[in-house]
Amino acid sequence: MPLKFIALLTVVLSYTIELQSQQISSVVGTGKPELNLMTGLVSEVNVGDPFGIEFGPDGCLYVCEVRNHRILKVDLETQKVITVAGTGEKGYSGDGGAAVKAKLNEPYEIRFAQNGDLYFVEMMNHIVRKIDAKTKVISTVAGCGKAGFSGDGGVATMARLNRPHSIALDAQGSLFIADIGNHRIRKVDRVSGKIESFAGNEKKRLPENGGRVTDESVLGPRALFIEGGTSVLWVALREGNSVWKIDLNSPVWQHVAGTGGKGYSGDRHNAIAATFNGPKGIAVKGKQCFVVDTENQAIRMIALDTGIVSTIAGNGLQGGTGDGGVATRASLGRPHGICIKDGAVFIGDTLNHRVRRVALSQ
C-alpha cells in the first residue's frame, strides 16, 4: 500500500475518531418554553429560551432563562432544578430583598466573583444586578433602568446603558459590560462603584489590530469573557462577525478570528481568514477558544496554539435533532450561551429550550 495513501487514511481515521468522541446530549429542559415549575427535575422543568450559562463555585450549572425572566440553578448530580432569582413575571423590582422574589426582564448572562457573588445582566432593564452569595439579597450595580448613554465618571447605578448583553469580571475588582446598543465596553470599579467607557466611541466600525483600546471604535461587542487567573478580556463582535482579545495590562486590540464579513467558512484553516455570522457567546479554556456562531447554528473552536478554526457542534441547519449522536451532525436552534467544565462544552440552545452538552475528545 503506497505510503501517501496510508498517511491519508490515517488522517481520515483520526478525524473520524475525533468526531465520534464528540457526542451531544441534553442536560436540562423539556423542549417547551412555557413557565411551569419553579423547582423540579431536569426532565420536568421547562427552560424557556436559555441564554447565558455558567458553573458556580458550588459546581452547579446556572442558567439565564430569558423567556421566563429567571435564573435557574441545576445540580447535574441530583438532577434537581431550583429558581434562584426571578418570580417568572417580567418587571424590575426586588432590590434589597430576596432574589427569588424579584422581577427580572430578560437576564442574558451570568458571572461569579471570587467571593461567590453572582452577577448577571438584564438586557431589557438596561442594568447589571448582583446576588449576594451569603444573604441571597439582590441589588443593582450598574444602570439606572433607562436606555441611553450617560454617566461616565460617575456612579454606575446612575448611568444609562443600552441593551447590555454580556459581562466579565477580573480579579482586580472590575466589571466589564458589553454595552452593545452604544457600541462600547463599559467598565465599573466594583469597590468605588464608578463607571467609565473602556472601549468604543460613537463610531460603529471594527477596531484596528494593534490599536489602543482608548482610541479605537467597536462594532457590536456582544460577548465578553475572562478566564480565571488571567488578565485577558476576550470579545466577540456580533455585527463585526469577529473575535478579539485585549490584554488588560497592555490594552490594545488583538485580532483572533473572523474577517468581519458575514458568512460560514474557514474550517480547518486559519481563523483570521474565516467568516462568522453573528457570534453571541465566547468561552476560553487554556489553548482553546469556543465561539457560539449563532446565526450559523454552530459552535466553533479556535485552537489558540495553531490558529486553526473548526466546528465542534451543529450541522449549520436550525433544528433540534442529534442527541446521542455526533455533535457536528446535530442541529441547533440559535444558540447563545456557552461554558466549559470537565472536558465538555455546555450550550444554551435557545430555540430548543434546552441546555446541551458536547463531550470533547481527549
Side-chain angles (χ1 to χ4, degrees):
M1 186 177 292
L3 291 177
K4 287 185 177 180
F5 180 80
I6 293 174
L8 178 61
L9 182 60
T10 301
V11 170
V12 171
L13 287 174
S14 64
Y15 180 51
T16 302
I17 292 170
E18 178 186 4
L19 284 180
Q20 288 178 342
S21 64
Q22 295 174 352
Q23 303 294 311
I24 190 169
S25 60
S26 293
V27 298
V28 63
T30 65
K32 297 178 181 179
E34 298 82 13
L35 180 68
N36 64 344
L37 302 173
M38 300 301 281
T39 183
L41 296 175
V42 295
S43 58
E44 299 172 342
V45 179
N46 292 349
V47 182
D49 297 337
F51 271 53
I53 54 176
E54 185 74 296
F55 279 91
D58 57 3
C60 292
L61 177 67
Y62 289 76
V63 182
C64 283
E65 189 192 17
V66 171
R67 174 77 66 99
N68 296 318
H69 315 287
R70 299 184 297 175
I71 306 291
L72 304 177
K73 173 182 173 180
V74 184
D75 187 324
L76 295 177
E77 290 189 5
T78 64
Q79 299 285 286
K80 296 287 183 65
V81 182
I82 65 171
T83 302
V84 297
T87 63
E89 183 179 356
K90 180 171 67 175
Y92 181 17
S93 68
D95 277 0
V100 290
K101 296 182 179 180
K103 291 182 181 179
L104 318 181
N105 194 350
E106 297 198 6
Y108 263 49
E109 193 163 71
I110 303 165
R111 301 292 184 213
F112 285 89
Q114 289 179 315
N115 68 351
D117 289 347
L118 187 159
Y119 287 76
F120 66 96
V121 61
E122 289 180 56
M123 187 192 72
M124 294 309 293
N125 277 334
H126 313 286
I127 58 171
V128 179
R129 296 171 98 174
K130 179 184 81 171
I131 301 173
D132 186 277
K134 295 180 180 179
T135 66
K136 310 305 179 186
V137 169
I138 192 171
S139 60
T140 298
V141 297
C144 65
K146 297 181 180 179
F149 175 68
S150 69
D152 275 359
V155 178
T157 51
M158 300 293 289
R160 290 195 179 196
L161 308 175
N162 191 351
R163 291 178 291 120
H165 276 211
S166 182
I167 52 176
L169 304 172
D170 70 8
Q172 284 67 51
S174 296
L175 162 69
F176 295 88
I177 306 169
D179 194 2
I180 193 168
N182 289 317
H183 295 274
R184 285 174 165 86
I185 299 173
R186 312 283 287 275
K187 178 181 176 182
V188 177
D189 185 311
R190 289 185 281 138
V191 177
S192 70
K194 297 297 180 66
I195 191 171
E196 63 180 356
S197 287
F198 172 74
N201 48 46
E202 68 280 0
K203 298 177 182 178
K204 303 174 184 178
R205 62 188 183 195
L206 288 173
E208 291 288 337
N209 188 40
R212 291 188 302 177
V213 168
T214 53
D215 297 337
E216 296 293 327
S217 56
V218 189
L219 183 59
R222 170 56 178 86
L224 308 178
F225 184 82
I226 297 175
E227 184 180 3
T230 73
S231 59
V232 177
L233 176 65
W234 296 81
V235 185
L237 304 184
R238 184 183 69 181
E239 288 90 343
N241 298 301
S242 52
V243 176
W244 302 72
K245 68 177 181 178
I246 301 167
D247 186 335
L248 297 175
N249 296 319
S250 179
V252 298
W253 287 100
Q254 299 177 60
H255 190 191
V256 176
T259 64
K262 185 185 298 185
Y264 188 9
S265 66
D267 276 0
R268 300 284 162 181
H269 297 285
N270 193 296
I272 292 289
T275 55
F276 295 78
N277 190 356
K280 297 180 182 177
I282 189 168
V284 176
K285 184 70 173 178
K287 295 183 179 181
Q288 295 175 320
C289 174
F290 299 89
V291 181
V292 183
D293 200 358
T294 302
E295 308 307 337
N296 281 328
Q297 320 295 333
I299 308 299
R300 302 174 82 181
M301 185 192 78
I302 303 161
L304 298 175
D305 52 351
T306 64
I308 301 301
V309 66
S310 58
T311 296
I312 65 159
N315 60 13
L317 302 175
Q318 185 172 317
T321 64
D323 273 3
V326 177
T328 49
R329 297 175 188 169
S331 56
L332 306 176
R334 297 195 72 242
H336 285 77
I338 189 167
C339 63
I340 308 159
K341 184 177 174 62
D342 298 334
V345 173
F346 292 78
I347 306 162
D349 197 2
T350 306
L351 295 187
N352 287 319
H353 313 297
R354 302 176 188 271
V355 175
R356 300 172 87 178
R357 176 183 183 273
V358 176
L360 297 177
S361 57
Q362 300 299 313

